[in-house]
Amino acid sequence: MGSKLSLLLSLLCFVTRLCFSFSASGKTNSFESVPDLEKSMYTQIDGFPCVRLLNLSGEIGCSNPGRGNVVAPIVRFKNANELVGPAAILVSLDEFESLLSRVSNDPDFARKVAGILVESTTQVQNGIKGFSPDVKFPQAGFAPYRSNNFEWNPAGSGIMWKAYNFPVFLLSQNSSLILQEVALMNEKSKKAYTKVVSEFDLVMQTTKSGTHDSDSCLKEGTCLPLGGYSVWSALPPINISSPLKAKPVVLTMTSMDSASFFRDKNLGAESPISGLIALLAVVDALSRLGGLEELNKQLVFVVLTGEAWGYLGSRRFFLESDQQSDTMKGLDLAMIETVLEIGSVGKSYPQGTKTFFAHTAGATSSVNGTLNALQHAQDSLITESIIVKTASTSNPGVPPSSIMTFLRKKPQISGLVLEDFDSAFSNEFYHSHLDDLSNINSTSIVAAASLVARSLYILAGGKDPSALNNIKINSSFVEELLGCLLDCEPGLSCGLVKHYISPSTTCPSHYVGVILGEPSTKPYPAYAGDISRFVWNFLADKTSIPSKNVSSSCSKDCNGDNELCIREEADGKGVCVISTTRFVPAYSTRLKYDDEMGSWTVLPSNSSDIMDVEDPVWTESNWDVINVRVYTVQTAAYDHVILLLGILVTLLAYLLIVIARTVIRKALKQD
């Protein structure tokens, strides 16, 4: 009996030691709630996703391959050759293109890529010669000439136009540091029983439903069309009830949307926001000039959106005009005499001479008139060291720009695009998240705006030298716009923007977004982007004349011809003004919205319209949530050990019970 008691005590000691050995290996924590427990287990990763976009031919962009989350250990790209199973690849931006190239060319390697995490650093631009995920001739199919081999964008790689069946995230700077440590930890603990993994929640509705093109996903309701709202405004306002013959129109335009591999990291500072800021500065300067109504031509300003995606804005602009929509009330496109587009103008030299290039197309006489106006404006700015040159005749035509739509629709039109480059983009980060505030300078934008403002006065018939010299760009206003539209501090919470609207976010992004609900001439604020609403309010204010119906509740009394209520979002009251400023829906000309069904239909292409035939009809997949987090998991081998230990403990417990019963029974019999 003594030997059995000794065995029992030995077994108890063994089990006790086993339990303590496992508990001592980790720290003891107390959790007051489930969120506390989750916070200790998971680290949320901040970043910017690449999402799934579709067209009539198929898909581009990124998505989880199936309906569930993707979980994989984190491995640095330099160690990717050692992969034995699926892994989340941590890669620096300068190696990102080579990683995607290897994925495209090596199917065995591609099968092991569960996801990609792209590092972000503060000085990344300094170490990269150029990074542009767009092609070398962006949107070549819409050009009014055929020269597909010409390279407007030499840095272009075309990676944003391919489909990737795994998630890709651009990390924030803080998350980059966290994951660099995690990857290093995984490398050092190859023989350990734990690994740190990333979990990607990037499930796209189009992937779940098996709708892999725009036509099918719109029918199933798993995607929405790309689009937004363009804005046009007349200075001074157009009297639509006047019996007088309409004046010829001098139209100045730019665009407000950009593109990027990563959906929400999309500033487009040089291309196209430098042009947008220049246009707003031009309107601000000309609005302070008296006597514009006496000029013999009408100034019209247009800010387009959707141009990065098949020139959605400019093509819809023409269609709305053809349909005599209320959005175009007061503007007859047949009266356009000259089109001047402000392109990328933020990279001329900040010191020394600021040089710009005039890319022209159309009727020679009108083009010469525009060039002469620019030359006259340059001469009046002699102390500012600004030069305008005619673009090289070896160029195949105008660079990728909205004016291509105008040349397609009205081949006889006179057009000019003002750029800071001649035969190749000066922007080495075209359609990249690196095209940010550090990529441009304000003096270049001020110089371009000065040229355009004075040129417009001359083109509209202005001949007063003193008035011309009084047209000055407010450089402080340009600096303020740079902070509002291209930075998070102050971002859209800046005083200028909040004077007009109540922004939905602080950090600006110039991705076009999707059309929500039925397109309207007066969109619900939540359906029109912050930038569109700000531009509409700003232009309506600067091009306006006071209304007689100035009241504390302009939304009720502001119903006369050309009367608009501005700044209503900002203070809840608004101010009633007279202005010819309109929202114009921007979405594919091959789409029609069914109000009763609340759905979109793809229309047949118009074979006589080349741009309609070329229209890819871009849509964006719906999703529920996008999320990345990291946590520690045990290896399969460790799980097997735990299972075996569990079985052993169970057998020992059973043996202890049997022995204990035997001992107790014998003890009772002896008593």
Side-chain angles (χ1 to χ4, degrees):
M1 179 178 162
S3 63
K4 289 183 177 178
L5 281 171
S6 176
L7 179 60
L8 177 62
L9 289 171
S10 298
L11 287 169
L12 283 170
C13 289
F14 174 75
V15 172
T16 304
R17 284 180 182 177
L18 190 65
C19 293
F20 273 110
S21 68
F22 278 98
S23 63
S25 64
K27 295 179 180 178
T28 302
N29 294 316
S30 60
F31 304 103
E32 296 180 358
S33 63
V34 173
D36 286 342
L37 178 62
E38 287 186 348
K39 191 175 180 180
S40 71
M41 294 172 63
Y42 303 105
T43 301
Q44 293 295 329
I45 298 301
D46 298 324
F48 306 92
C50 159
V51 301
R52 177 69 81 219
L53 299 176
L54 306 95
N55 56 34
L56 294 178
S57 303
E59 304 170 305
I60 67 168
C62 316
S63 171
N64 281 15
R67 300 187 176 193
N69 292 358
V70 172
V71 179
I74 300 164
V75 177
R76 287 197 288 186
F77 180 43
K78 71 174 187 177
N79 299 322
N81 289 329
E82 304 169 15
L83 294 181
V84 292
I89 310 293
L90 179 65
V91 63
S92 60
L93 188 65
D94 57 342
E95 295 178 307
F96 182 47
E97 286 184 10
S98 62
L99 170 56
L100 292 182
S101 175
R102 185 174 173 187
V103 167
S104 300
N105 299 322
D106 186 345
D108 291 334
F109 176 74
R111 282 191 286 271
K112 295 176 184 177
V113 177
I116 296 177
L117 298 158
V118 185
E119 296 173 7
S120 176
T121 58
T122 52
Q123 299 297 323
V124 70
Q125 286 183 338
N126 296 338
I128 295 181
K129 293 181 180 179
F131 176 76
S132 173
D134 209 333
V135 294
K136 296 185 184 299
F137 190 152
Q139 307 197 86
F142 293 98
Y145 53 84
R146 283 288 170 262
S147 186
N148 292 347
N149 294 326
F150 192 82
E151 296 186 2
W152 288 108
N153 182 30
S157 63
I159 59 173
M160 67 181 285
W161 301 108
K162 297 179 181 179
Y164 304 98
N165 292 318
F166 47 77
V168 182
F169 272 78
L170 173 68
L171 302 170
S172 67
Q173 291 179 22
N174 186 52
S175 292
S176 295
L177 295 175
I178 292 172
L179 291 190
Q180 284 168 5
E181 291 181 11
V182 165
L184 190 60
M185 222 162 60
N186 280 346
E187 288 172 21
K188 290 180 177 179
S189 59
K190 287 183 179 180
K191 295 182 180 179
Y193 58 79
T194 59
K195 285 282 184 185
V196 182
V197 299
S198 59
E199 181 183 68
F200 298 90
D201 187 354
L202 189 67
V203 179
M204 297 282 121
Q205 293 294 330
T206 51
T207 303
K208 288 175 70 175
S209 64
T211 50
H212 300 296
D213 59 68
S214 289
D215 193 19
S216 60
C217 74
L218 287 171
K219 288 176 181 175
E220 293 295 323
T222 58
C223 64
L224 286 170
L226 292 192
Y229 287 89
S230 302
V231 180
W232 73 270
S233 185
L235 178 67
I238 298 170
N239 185 353
I240 56 178
S241 59
S242 172
L244 298 176
K245 183 181 178 181
K247 296 179 181 179
V249 171
V250 176
L251 188 144
T252 307
M253 65 181 177
T254 192
S255 56
M256 65 173 119
D257 76 293
S258 185
S260 169
F261 193 94
F262 305 100
R263 183 187 191 274
D264 299 316
K265 190 68 171 175
N266 197 337
L267 289 173
E270 162 72 339
S271 311
I273 303 303
S274 63
L276 170 62
I277 292 173
L279 183 141
L280 297 179
V282 167
V283 175
D284 174 65
L286 292 177
S287 68
R288 299 192 296 271
L289 189 68
L292 290 177
E293 66 281 352
E294 297 172 7
L295 299 178
N296 55 24
K297 293 176 187 175
Q298 176 69 52
L299 295 177
V300 171
F301 298 91
V302 183
V303 181
L304 299 161
T305 194
E307 296 301 273
W309 301 96
Y311 300 111
L312 296 176
S314 51
R315 291 192 297 113
R316 174 58 59 173
F317 190 74
F318 271 93
L319 184 60
E320 294 286 325
S321 177
D322 292 342
Q323 295 175 344
Q324 298 183 332
S325 164
D326 286 344
T327 63
M328 303 298 289
K329 194 174 181 181
L331 178 60
D332 182 359
L333 297 188
M335 296 301 294
I336 295 176
E337 187 176 272
T338 301
V339 177
L340 196 162
E341 181 172 357
I342 310 176
S344 302
V345 292
K347 288 183 74 67
S348 68
Y349 296 108
Q351 286 87 28
T353 304
K354 290 166 277 294
T355 304
F356 299 96
F357 294 87
H359 299 258
T360 61
T364 304
S365 57
S366 296
V367 165
N368 288 341
T370 308
L371 289 173
N372 289 337
L374 279 169
Q375 184 62 51
H376 191 173
Q378 174 191 305
D379 294 342
S380 72
L381 293 162
I382 190 69
T383 60
E384 303 297 325
S385 299
I386 301 172
I387 291 180
V388 183
K389 295 181 178 179
T390 304
S392 172
T393 54
S394 64
N395 293 345
V398 293
S401 53
S402 302
I403 211 165
M404 287 182 168
T405 301
F406 283 75
L407 294 171
R408 283 287 195 188
K409 297 290 185 180
K410 292 169 67 72
Q412 74 283 4
I413 204 167
S414 162
L416 183 148
V417 190
L418 189 69
E419 305 273 13
D420 57 17
F421 63 85
D422 184 1
S423 299
F425 294 169
S426 58
N427 183 10
E428 295 178 334
F429 304 109
Y430 182 78
H431 282 177
S432 157
H433 66 281
L434 298 179
D435 186 11
D436 57 20
L437 189 55
S438 66
N439 197 35
I440 58 174
N441 65 83
S442 62
T443 56
S444 179
I445 297 173
V446 170
S450 300
L451 267 177
V452 172
R454 295 193 179 194
S455 297
L456 291 179
Y457 174 72
I458 296 165
L459 287 170
K463 297 179 180 178
D464 184 351
S466 62
L468 181 67
N469 291 327
N470 284 333
I471 300 174
K472 298 184 184 298
I473 298 300
N474 183 347
S475 59
S476 297
F477 174 66
V478 170
E479 291 283 356
E480 187 176 11
L481 279 172
L482 288 172
C484 295
L485 302 182
L486 293 172
D487 204 351
C488 288
E489 295 179 4
L492 297 179
S493 62
C494 69
L496 176 62
V497 172
K498 294 189 80 172
H499 178 67
Y500 291 106
I501 68 168
S502 178
S504 61
T505 185
T506 298
C507 288
S509 176
H510 302 294
Y511 175 62
V512 62
V514 295
I515 283 279
L516 298 172
E518 182 180 12
S520 169
T521 57
K522 296 180 179 178
Y524 180 63
Y527 290 176
D530 289 339
I531 307 300
S532 290
R533 299 196 324 278
F534 165 66
V535 168
W536 183 90
N537 276 272
F538 177 84
L539 292 181
D541 182 20
K542 293 296 181 180
T543 62
S544 69
I545 56 177
S547 169
K548 296 177 182 178
N549 294 326
V550 178
S551 68
S552 59
S553 55
C554 75
S555 57
K556 295 180 181 178
D557 303 323
C558 203
N559 298 316
D561 285 346
N562 265 4
E563 284 188 331
L564 300 174
C565 185
I566 62 172
R567 306 208 311 258
E568 188 176 13
E569 274 186 64
D571 59 13
K573 297 178 181 179
V575 177
C576 190
V577 297
I578 294 174
S579 174
T580 311
T581 303
R582 312 264 193 263
F583 279 116
V584 183
Y587 58 96
S588 171
T589 54
R590 289 190 58 188
L591 289 177
K592 182 180 180 181
Y593 185 78
D594 187 328
D595 191 27
E596 292 184 3
M597 301 294 292
S599 61
W600 294 87
T601 304
V602 178
L603 302 172
S605 63
N606 179 358
S607 58
S608 63
D609 185 344
I610 295 176
M611 298 193 91
D612 206 50
V613 173
E614 289 285 343
D615 189 351
V617 187
W618 287 108
T619 56
E620 180 185 297
S621 175
N622 300 337
W623 68 78
D624 293 325
V625 67
I626 292 179
N627 183 43
V628 181
R629 60 183 184 177
V630 297
Y631 53 90
T632 303
V633 297
Q634 297 165 171
T635 62
Y638 182 73
D639 288 340
H640 294 152
V641 171
I642 294 297
L643 177 61
L644 290 172
L645 287 174
I647 294 171
L648 178 61
V649 169
T650 303
L651 292 173
L652 288 173
Y654 177 75
L655 183 58
L656 284 171
I657 292 170
V658 171
I659 294 171
R661 271 184 183 174
T662 305
V663 171
I664 292 168
R665 282 176 182 170
K666 287 188 177 183
L668 288 173
K669 284 181 180 180
Q670 288 177 357
D671 291 341

